[in-house]
């Protein structure tokens, strides 16, 4: 389990995450203790920092062609359970239901706080980092295999009607 709590500017950022043996990702977001089911700027900052931190760590510490092209956001979030919570004075939501956070400064604060702390965590816990990277590499391989299977089916379907007529 990874946890960080820090204040950046006038935004208090709190993030906890854990990878589990599942393929779905769960990201639960809060702004001033109000649940944001649609996420918002703090979730965007979290996702950006997570993808960047794992790509940077993998490029520095792994050797292999799996890491060359980099990981996508979907790859790094597979099997992730995360809680992102921010607290700030001047808060803006998109819509009346407060389902999505619209405050732009929340994105930068979340990205900076989480990015720095998670990168440090990966450096200080190489066994955990290796397990996370291996899980992400497995997700990349699954994505590539699914794409290859889809392309194969589409190609086969296109060639099916091109048979020459019999005598």
């Amino acid at each position: 389990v990874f946890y960080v709590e820090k204040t950046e500017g006038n935004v208090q950022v709190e993030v906890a995450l854990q990878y589990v043996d599942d393929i779905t990702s769960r990201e639960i977001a809060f702004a001033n203790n109000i649940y944001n089911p649609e996420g918002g700027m703090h979730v965007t900052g979290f996702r950006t920092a997570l993808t960047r931190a794992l790509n940077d760590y993998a490029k520095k510490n792994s050797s292999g062609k799996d890491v060359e092209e980099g990981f996508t956001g979907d790859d790094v979030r597979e099997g992730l359970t995360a809680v992102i919570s921010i607290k700030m004075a001047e808060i803006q939501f998109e819509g009346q239901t407060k389902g999505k956070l619209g405050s732009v400064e929340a994105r930068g604060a979340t990205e900076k706080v989480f990015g720095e702390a998670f990168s440090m965590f990966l450096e200080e816990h190489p066994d955990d980092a290796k397990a996370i990277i291996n899980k992400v590499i497995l997700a990349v391989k699954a994505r590539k295999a699914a794409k290859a299977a889809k392309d194969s089916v589409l190609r086969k379907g296109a060639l099916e009607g091109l048979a020459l007529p019999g005598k």
Side-chain angles (χ1 to χ4, degrees), residues 30 38 43 46 87 132 145 164:
F30 296 91
E38 298 171 29
V43 176
F46 165 76
K87 292 185 177 118
I132 291 171
L164 295 173

Side-chain angles (χ1 to χ4, degrees), residues 106-125:
R107 176 182 179 170
T110 306
E111 195 171 325
K112 184 170 190 231
V113 168
F114 173 71
E116 289 173 359
F118 193 62
S119 295
M120 195 179 304
F121 171 81
L122 293 173
E123 296 294 336
E124 292 173 357
H125 301 86

Side-chain angles (χ1 to χ4, degrees), residues 13-143:
V13 179
E14 196 173 359
V15 177
L17 70 84
Q18 180 177 16
Y19 278 90
V20 294
D21 292 334
D22 195 5
I23 58 170
T24 59
S25 100
R26 290 174 203 84
E27 294 166 313
I28 303 164
F30 296 91
N32 287 0
N33 294 333
I34 300 169
Y35 175 56
N36 309 122
E38 298 171 29
M41 294 310 244
H42 52 327
V43 176
T44 304
F46 165 76
R47 289 176 175 175
T48 303
L50 177 69
T51 306
R52 184 180 298 129
L54 287 174
N55 271 320
D56 291 348
Y57 183 83
K59 283 186 175 85
K60 273 192 278 183
N61 298 305
S62 295
S63 59
K65 62 182 177 75
D66 296 320
V67 184
E68 280 177 15
E69 66 187 46
F71 306 135
T72 65
D74 290 334
D75 294 335
V76 299
R77 287 194 309 270
E78 190 170 295
L80 175 74
T81 301
V83 178
I84 305 116
S85 174
I86 62 133
K87 292 185 177 118
M88 55 191 293
E90 300 291 325
I91 199 160
Q92 296 174 340
F93 293 100
E94 292 179 12
Q96 289 182 324
T97 60
K98 298 182 179 179
K100 189 171 185 178
L101 179 68
S103 300
V104 179
E105 59 268 18
R107 176 182 179 170
T110 306
E111 195 171 325
K112 184 170 190 231
V113 168
F114 173 71
E116 289 173 359
F118 193 62
S119 295
M120 195 179 304
F121 171 81
L122 293 173
E123 296 294 336
E124 292 173 357
H125 301 86
D127 293 340
D128 293 340
K130 186 174 182 185
I132 291 171
I133 295 295
N134 288 339
K135 184 165 182 56
V136 174
I137 288 173
L138 191 63
V140 170
K141 288 179 181 175
R143 176 175 49 90

